Amino acid sequence: MNMLRHTGLAVAAVAAAIGGFINVAPAAQAAGDSAAAGGTAPACIHRMVDGTPDGFSVYLSNYCGKTMRVKVIVDSGGDSPCFTMSAGSDRLWYYTGVFGQYGRTVTC
C-alpha cells in the first residue's frame, strides 16, 4: 500500500511538471513574437497608406534627423523586411495580397 502511495505521488509530480511546462511554453512564444517587432515607430517616421487593386502601398519618410530602422506590420499577411532609412530619406513598399491589411509601422 505504501508503494502505491509513493508511485501516485511521483505520477502527480510528473503530471504537475509537464502541465507547468505546457502552461509556460505559450508565454515564452508570445514573448519571442513581441521581441521580433519593436515598438511603434515615432511620429517623425511619416506614413502614408494607399489601397491598390491587389493590396496596399506604404510610403515612409524619415524626418527624425538620424538613421532609423523600420518595418511595416501587416495584419493577416506577411510583414515587410526591416528597412534602414537615413535621415531625410523616403521609401515606398507594396503589399500584394487579398487578406493583408496595414497594421502599423515599428522600429526594428
Side-chain angles (χ1 to χ4, degrees), residues 44-45 62-68 85-89:
C44 57
I45 298 292
N62 180 359
Y63 292 104
C64 295
K66 63 180 181 178
T67 298
M68 298 292 292
M85 298 181 64
S86 60
S89 68

Side-chain angles (χ1 to χ4, degrees), residues 39-59:
T40 300
C44 57
I45 298 292
H46 292 211
R47 309 106 159 123
M48 185 170 44
V49 181
D50 288 317
T52 64
D54 56 350
F56 61 88
S57 65
V58 181
Y59 185 74

Side-chain angles (χ1 to χ4, degrees), residues 28-97:
Q29 179 64 38
D33 291 345
S34 65
T40 300
C44 57
I45 298 292
H46 292 211
R47 309 106 159 123
M48 185 170 44
V49 181
D50 288 317
T52 64
D54 56 350
F56 61 88
S57 65
V58 181
Y59 185 74
L60 301 168
S61 299
N62 180 359
Y63 292 104
C64 295
K66 63 180 181 178
T67 298
M68 298 292 292
R69 293 179 45 84
V70 298
K71 73 185 287 182
V72 175
I73 302 299
V74 178
D75 296 337
S76 302
D79 300 339
S80 78
C82 186
F83 301 119
T84 300
M85 298 181 64
S86 60
S89 68
D90 301 311
R91 174 169 286 274
L92 182 61
W93 182 72
Y94 289 97
Y95 173 82
T96 302

